[in-house]
Amino acid sequence: MSILRDITLQVAVGKSLAIVGPSGCGKSTLLGLLAGLDTPTSGRVFWGSEDISVLDEEARTERRLRDVGFVFQSFQLLPQLTALENVMLPMDLIGDSSAEEKATAMLKTVGLESRLQHFPATLSGGEQQRVALARAFVRVPRLLFADEPTGSLDAASGDRVMSLLLDLQSQHGATLIIVTHDDKLASACTDRLSLLAGAIA
């Protein structure tokens, strides 16, 4: 049984695409394929002119470290690291000597300059998601993938995260692909793709 079938799509550089549809329709599977976290059993996935679906896991991981940012519903922050250390982590992994300076500046951009030394457990959900946004954008990614970025937040926090996400995406010229049930967030994107039972609705 195929989870996805007959999916053909193209997202222009610098645009934002919202993938919407009922639970279980294949949204997160499609996001995982587009992000190079999974490989398709048939078909191909290109980032620009590069076919990432033919790369092995090590090569795809290297491309993600270099070009991709992620934002998840569950934040995916490391609990033993401070907000600053969480944002520094992707730059530390590539040996960026200015990691602390860049991370501090990005946390200031998302309004968390007073929370640099706080651990995730001491931050609200909205603050944790803003740390996740800072981590995703600190390396100025070409591609940003977001899986229900406002899904676990109250309305006010969700609106703030949505505004920050789209503002940062616009400022950095990143291509943004979002899975969301949030119609307000989907409507703010430049394009929308509706899935139903693994196919484009």
Side-chain angles (χ1 to χ4, degrees):
M1 178 180 176
S2 298
I3 298 175
L4 297 169
R5 62 186 190 280
D6 302 324
I7 303 286
T8 300
L9 66 96
Q10 181 174 341
V11 185
V13 172
K15 298 295 185 180
S16 53
L17 171 70
I19 302 172
V20 300
S23 296
C25 70
K27 300 187 301 296
S28 292
T29 299
L30 178 57
L31 191 75
L33 291 169
L34 296 175
L37 298 172
D38 301 302
T39 54
T41 52
S42 63
R44 297 184 294 172
V45 178
F46 286 86
W47 292 352
S49 60
E50 182 175 29
D51 184 356
I52 65 159
S53 51
V54 300
L55 301 177
D56 61 24
E57 178 56 33
E58 182 177 352
R60 293 200 311 277
T61 298
E62 186 275 327
R63 300 301 192 281
R64 287 195 298 270
L65 281 172
R66 187 184 68 197
D67 295 325
V68 178
F70 291 95
V71 181
F72 299 97
Q73 179 177 352
S74 56
F75 317 132
Q76 299 292 336
L77 302 178
L78 295 180
Q80 71 274 24
L81 300 183
T82 65
L84 179 61
E85 290 167 339
N86 266 286
V87 178
M88 288 173 60
L89 184 60
M91 291 180 294
D92 286 338
L93 291 173
I94 60 172
D96 189 328
S97 60
S98 58
E100 183 172 356
E101 178 184 352
K102 291 178 180 177
T104 299
M106 186 55 71
L107 283 165
K108 183 176 182 179
T109 297
V110 300
L112 292 175
E113 60 269 30
S114 65
R115 312 290 268 174
L116 301 183
Q117 301 305 323
H118 285 66
F119 291 93
T122 67
L123 300 173
S124 70
E127 287 172 334
Q128 290 185 65
Q129 194 61 298
R130 282 188 277 153
V131 173
L133 286 179
R135 182 184 58 191
F137 279 103
V138 73
R139 289 180 296 107
V140 193
R142 291 193 305 135
L143 296 166
L144 183 73
F145 297 95
D147 193 357
E148 297 286 1
T150 60
S152 60
L153 304 178
D154 60 66
S157 295
D159 284 348
R160 183 168 189 181
V161 165
M162 178 185 73
S163 294
L164 279 169
L165 175 62
L166 294 171
D167 286 348
L168 287 168
Q169 180 251 338
S170 177
Q171 290 169 23
H172 291 276
T175 303
L176 173 64
I177 300 176
I178 305 175
V179 162
T180 186
H181 284 101
D182 185 338
D183 191 63
K184 188 174 182 180
L185 177 55
S187 296
C189 293
T190 55
D191 298 290
R192 181 191 296 233
L193 176 72
S194 297
L195 288 185
L196 184 63
I200 297 175

